[in-house]
Amino acid sequence: MSEAQERGWEELAPRYLLPVKRDAAATSVLPGSEISPAEVYGRTAPLTVEIGSGQGHAIVHAAAEHPERDFLAVEVFRAGLARTMLDADRAGATNLRLVEANAPEVLEHLLPEASVDELWIFFPDPWHKKKHTKRRLVAPAFPPIAARALRDGGLLRLATDWEDYALQMREVMADAADFDAHFQGEWAPRYEGRVMTAFERKGIAKGREIRDLVYRRRPRS
């Protein structure tokens, strides 16, 4: 991290970063260490969770624009988390918290069942080399984990600039028993609540089409 990020981490982590009980790995979450969002945020409000928040541009903007909602950024790279805290502090986003942990374990062990109103996965690592595609987050094992955390009627929003990953996402979600597509045609329209970031502009500049998908969590039986 840069010197400013190191300083921001020390000063702001106590306010923004959720303490996590670890399992074996440094970014793991110990099973049974569930949080209470109402206690974390000091109120009951709709909760949006962004998986792989990077440097936090999208979620800080959303948190500042929607003080009536709560937001949680999930990321494993500390420099990105530090940048997110610095920007959140400047924006006065008191409704944002961060967690340094592996996304599937956050959804399985940290968040209570049916506690999330929207789950965002914007431009996840495409692992574009064929030998690495098995590491992609949105794979057949993912929908049940997402469904556990989402409330009935909650939304899963996806976006990527890699065509083959977009096709994989759509195929995986088409087979997901707990979700229905919440769009018409091949792709969803661009989510207006996603601020245009430098990362997205870079993908467009390279000629890659941005593809959005959105799915609604079916009611539990």
Side-chain angles (χ1 to χ4, degrees):
M1 293 192 290
S2 68
E3 185 176 333
Q5 288 170 331
E6 290 277 8
R7 187 167 59 251
W9 183 273
E10 291 181 12
E11 295 176 359
L12 300 173
R15 187 194 315 172
Y16 286 103
L17 195 67
L18 295 185
V20 178
K21 294 179 180 179
R22 303 297 184 184
D23 202 350
T27 54
S28 62
V29 178
L30 185 70
S33 55
E34 193 171 275
I35 63 168
S36 166
E39 292 181 5
V40 168
Y41 294 94
R43 64 177 182 176
T44 300
L47 176 61
T48 296
V49 177
E50 183 179 12
I51 299 299
S53 55
Q55 296 191 48
H57 299 304
I59 201 163
V60 170
H61 180 269
E65 288 285 307
H66 297 281
E68 77 283 1
R69 302 179 67 92
D70 292 330
F71 293 84
L72 178 64
V74 181
E75 182 56 72
V76 293
F77 295 108
R78 187 164 288 196
L81 291 168
R83 171 66 183 270
T84 302
M85 288 188 282
L86 288 166
D87 288 350
D89 184 54
R90 280 191 287 268
T94 59
N95 55 335
L96 174 62
R97 298 293 183 273
L98 290 69
V99 60
E100 183 185 20
N102 300 326
E105 295 177 57
V106 170
L107 298 175
E108 283 186 283
H109 305 309
L110 194 69
L111 292 168
E113 184 174 355
S115 62
V116 178
D117 289 78
E118 290 200 11
L119 181 61
W120 296 352
I121 306 175
F122 298 151
F123 307 101
D125 194 327
W127 294 107
H128 59 276
K129 293 184 179 179
K130 191 171 182 179
K131 63 181 179 179
H132 291 155
T133 55
K134 62 183 179 182
R135 300 182 186 179
R136 287 174 171 173
L137 176 63
V138 185
F142 178 74
I145 299 171
R148 177 198 172 276
L150 280 165
R151 65 165 177 81
D152 292 2
L155 297 179
L156 170 63
R157 298 188 183 276
L158 307 169
T160 182
D161 58 338
W162 287 85
E163 181 180 17
D164 69 317
Y165 198 3
L167 293 170
Q168 176 178 321
M169 288 176 172
R170 194 172 62 184
E171 182 179 343
V172 165
M173 295 307 300
D175 292 335
D178 297 315
F179 289 92
D180 290 315
H182 193 56
F183 59 94
Q184 301 293 325
E186 286 191 297
W187 308 103
R190 186 186 186 280
Y191 175 45
E192 292 181 356
R194 187 177 77 245
V195 65
M196 178 69 74
T197 63
F199 187 93
E200 187 169 353
R201 289 192 186 94
K202 184 178 179 180
I204 294 170
K206 290 187 174 182
R208 294 199 289 264
E209 185 176 347
I210 310 300
R211 292 179 171 86
D212 281 64
L213 295 162
V214 57
Y215 297 88
R216 186 177 292 280
R217 208 286 186 208
R218 290 178 179 171
R220 290 163 170 80
S221 56

